[in-house]
Amino acid sequence: MLATVCHARGLAALADGRHTEAYEHLIRMFDPADPAHHPALCCFAVADLVEAAVRGGHRDPVLPIVARMEDVARATPSPALHAGLRYARALLAADDDAEALFEAALRADLMRWPFARARVQLAYGGWLRRQRRAADSRGHLRAAGETFDALGTIPWSDRARQELRASGETIRRRIPAARDQLTPQELQIAQLAAGGLTNREIGERLYVSHRTVSSHLHRIFPKLGVSSRAALRAALTYDTGTVM
């Protein structure tokens, strides 16, 4: 449980650009003396730790950790661990080696891991831009932004747009989808209602009363600009429309 909490807090801080805070949460998972240490969950967090460390100025302390996880990788086929290590190698590499390592990370089969692939594309595009190869960077940054938009990971798509602007490309501002205005519980209720469930059925699924569901829907309708359950499905369709 502690490891899961540290990972969640680290990811939230990383998405917000609070790299040192993210590092402080994530490093606990990799410290055998810390109550939050969890060897298995470390396999899912190595990429997050290395990104937080590199961007927060803690590169050297993670080098022995990555070496240890490389040893683990030789004993397990864990896709998450191997994808994370490919990304970590590219982030930690010297400029002379980084391009080949980013390309290797993108050649790996990441069809089942679109977020992981988009992260590589974002980091690679940013690295290319800093190497004064702006034209080469833009394709990777556009692809990353499109994937993040489709996944609804808005802080990451905003980072891709910032990189694109820095590369000299004129881009369009994202219009927030109506669903972005909902709390996680409101979104869950709206999705279930859009799927045809009654208030009582939704309440049974979420362990709340049907009256609570009704109260939530009364708040949800004006947020989405609808007046009936029948209009919920269209309102919840994720919109990545843009304006200049």
Side-chain angles (χ1 to χ4, degrees):
M1 182 67 74
L2 284 173
T4 300
V5 169
C6 284
H7 196 191
R9 288 175 174 171
L11 279 172
L14 189 59
D16 286 343
R18 294 177 278 118
H19 300 121
T20 294
E21 182 182 338
Y23 172 79
E24 290 169 352
H25 287 304
L26 294 165
I27 195 68
R28 296 183 60 191
M29 299 174 64
F30 294 82
D31 181 358
D34 193 295
H37 175 61
H38 196 292
L41 290 181
C42 285
C43 294
F44 295 89
V46 64
D48 308 315
L49 174 67
V50 171
E51 180 168 344
V54 169
R55 304 199 189 289
H58 303 281
R59 180 183 182 279
D60 290 346
V62 300
L63 295 178
I65 293 173
V66 172
R68 188 169 76 235
M69 298 308 293
E70 294 277 11
D71 290 339
V72 174
R74 283 188 277 274
T76 175
S78 167
L81 176 57
H82 285 273
L85 284 172
R86 283 189 290 268
Y87 183 45
R89 292 178 201 125
L91 290 179
L92 291 168
D95 285 341
D96 289 345
D97 302 319
E99 183 167 13
L101 290 170
F102 276 121
E103 292 287 351
L106 289 176
R107 283 196 302 272
D109 183 8
L110 293 174
M111 293 298 294
R112 295 173 54 201
W113 308 83
F115 179 77
R117 180 175 177 80
R119 266 177 90 171
V120 176
Q121 291 171 319
L122 174 58
Y124 188 19
W127 179 85
L128 286 167
R129 181 186 64 77
R130 290 189 295 276
Q131 301 300 307
R132 302 183 183 278
R133 296 168 58 185
D136 293 334
S137 75
R138 290 170 189 150
H140 295 293
L141 295 171
R142 283 190 219 103
E146 289 168 3
T147 299
F148 291 139
D149 278 343
L151 294 173
T153 51
I154 303 309
W156 297 87
S157 60
D158 287 345
R159 282 173 55 184
R161 285 181 172 80
Q162 290 168 6
E163 286 284 358
L164 272 171
R165 279 193 294 270
S167 77
E169 179 163 310
T170 301
I171 62 171
R172 297 183 171 188
R173 176 171 54 84
R174 186 183 67 88
I175 299 175
R179 62 186 285 167
D180 292 346
Q181 304 174 55
L182 304 182
T183 67
Q185 186 176 39
E186 287 174 343
L187 178 58
Q188 191 174 21
I189 288 172
Q191 289 171 329
L192 292 172
L197 273 66
T198 66
N199 288 2
R200 191 171 298 279
E201 290 169 334
I202 295 170
E204 290 172 353
R205 290 236 187 148
L206 302 182
Y207 302 101
V208 297
S209 73
H210 66 278
R211 294 184 180 86
T212 298
V213 174
S214 178
S215 296
H216 277 297
L217 286 171
H218 276 94
R219 290 193 293 271
I220 290 167
F221 282 1
K223 285 185 178 182
L224 296 180
V226 301
S227 58
S228 69
R229 300 169 80 98
L232 280 174
R233 185 183 295 275
L236 289 172
T237 300
Y238 192 79
D239 181 7
T240 57
T242 54
V243 296
M244 293 301 289

